[in-house]
Amino acid sequence: MKLFLIRHAESVDNVAQLYAGLRDSLLTNHGVLQAECLGQHLAARGLRFTDIFASDLKRAFKTADAIRLAQPMNDQRGLSYTLQILSTPLLREQDFGALEGVSYVASRQVPADVKVDLETKDRMVVRAEQFLDDYLIPVLAIEDVSQDPVVAVVSHGIFLNVLWRQLLRRFTPSSITAPPDILPADRRTSVEYLAWGNTAFLELDLGRALPHAGRQPGIPDNNIAPGTLPSPPVPLLSQWRLTLVAINARDHLTAIAKRTGGGIGSSRYDEGQKKIDNYFIRKVP
């Protein structure tokens, strides 16, 4: 299985620097372009998604839809198929309670005695575990020799970190590997705690472990610094291996990084307006 954990594109509240957990912030014009570039990039790599899961909040669902729309109409066997997005509130961002819609700066002035009622880490862990058990793990159980699953999970920055850590706990430390060039330069930095920019993704390969311990063909020896992985009490995916392929990948944004940020690009996207490229591409008469 190839698995992509993806953060949504730039939203209006991202630009305004407002707390937006359950607050259903829309994408900016620049965010829509980010999502389109992401979808085109993944499709150009020849990736044919079998499953797309997304938070039901608009900024995540619209990003997932851009991935879906960029996919070809036929699968690798030449057969037509309809790819659907399965949205679920389990993938929503942390609920910021009374801080929803409050600016980062203003939040520093909130009196200490005011009950903010943030969603706790433990409550997010429960959601993450339920998503793994009810949605992702069943995909692993599907035995389809004609096509390996290629799965996208589109969610939010804070929750993705929680989901990633819970997924990591399903594997034995010796079954987790990563190419040296994608690991942080400081090996003391834990791979548990990762960052996601807008439309950035964590790319993972999951496969059946070989029956004998030790080095596996095509996979480097475990090169993750000791003490950087969580220690699961009972690994639930002990027969599987996990390889980190890319962390916070966002090469697809290189061409637009300086083209539409700010100004019109930072405005809320209106589906009834002209395509954003019309603002930036001069047509030849």
Side-chain angles (χ1 to χ4, degrees):
M1 173 198 280
K2 291 193 73 68
L3 174 62
F4 294 82
L5 301 184
I6 305 168
R7 186 186 173 200
H8 64 79
E10 179 189 83
S11 71
V12 173
D13 284 351
N14 287 154
V15 175
Q17 297 189 328
L18 304 180
Y19 281 100
L22 302 189
R23 181 178 160 94
D24 209 1
S25 180
L26 299 176
L27 295 182
T28 62
N29 286 317
H30 187 60
V32 170
L33 191 54
Q34 286 179 327
E36 291 175 350
C37 287
L38 171 64
Q40 293 163 7
H41 170 78
L42 295 174
R45 286 182 51 184
L47 293 165
R48 302 296 178 258
F49 286 93
T50 56
D51 302 89
I52 300 179
F53 302 104
S55 158
D56 61 347
L57 296 175
K58 292 186 181 69
R59 57 194 185 273
F61 188 87
K62 290 292 186 181
T63 303
D65 200 40
I67 297 172
R68 181 188 68 83
L69 291 172
Q71 290 287 289
M73 300 301 293
N74 298 327
D75 65 14
Q76 293 175 328
R77 295 164 292 183
L79 303 176
S80 62
Y81 77 114
T82 302
L83 180 62
Q84 301 291 338
I85 300 170
L86 201 162
S87 64
T88 170
L90 292 175
L91 292 172
R92 288 179 177 179
E93 181 59 294
Q94 178 182 19
D95 182 355
F96 293 112
L99 291 181
E100 290 281 340
V102 176
S103 72
Y104 302 154
V105 174
S107 68
R108 301 170 191 164
Q109 309 301 320
V110 175
D113 59 343
V114 172
K115 185 178 181 181
V116 175
D117 195 27
L118 289 173
E119 182 180 16
T120 65
K121 174 186 171 184
D122 288 344
R123 283 157 60 188
M124 285 192 288
V125 164
V126 170
R127 285 199 283 126
E129 288 292 331
Q130 186 176 347
F131 173 77
L132 292 175
D133 288 335
D134 294 352
Y135 294 91
L136 190 59
I137 302 303
V139 175
L140 284 174
I142 297 175
E143 298 289 346
D144 184 355
V145 295
S146 64
Q147 185 177 21
D148 287 332
V150 181
V151 180
V153 177
V154 185
S155 185
H156 310 263
I158 294 175
F159 186 74
L160 279 172
N161 222 314
V162 175
L163 180 63
W164 161 237
R165 293 187 71 210
Q166 297 312 118
L167 176 63
L168 205 56
R169 282 176 162 79
R170 301 290 180 111
F171 295 85
T172 58
S174 62
S175 69
I176 304 169
T177 57
D181 59 333
I182 73 164
L183 293 173
D186 181 355
R187 289 300 184 87
R188 292 172 296 178
T189 301
S190 173
V191 296
E192 292 181 71
Y193 301 97
L194 302 178
W196 277 264
N198 289 123
T199 67
F201 56 83
L202 171 65
E203 182 177 348
L204 305 166
D205 276 339
L206 288 76
R208 292 282 187 181
L210 295 180
H212 300 291
R215 183 168 180 160
Q216 302 173 27
I219 301 172
D221 289 324
N222 191 311
N223 50 15
I224 298 176
T228 65
L229 298 175
S231 300
V234 180
L236 301 181
L237 290 173
S238 57
Q239 302 304 312
W240 289 79
R241 57 170 174 77
L242 173 67
T243 302
L244 286 76
V245 178
I247 296 174
N248 198 30
R250 43 188 171 180
D251 290 347
H252 56 282
L253 298 180
T254 303
I256 65 168
K258 296 182 180 180
R259 193 174 73 162
T260 62
I264 294 174
S266 298
S267 301
R268 178 177 65 84
Y269 177 71
D270 180 355
E271 295 186 1
Q273 71 188 18
K274 293 189 297 182
K275 185 173 176 60
I276 190 170
D277 281 350
N278 292 340
Y279 292 108
F280 302 100
I281 299 176
R282 184 177 180 179
K283 298 185 180 299
V284 178

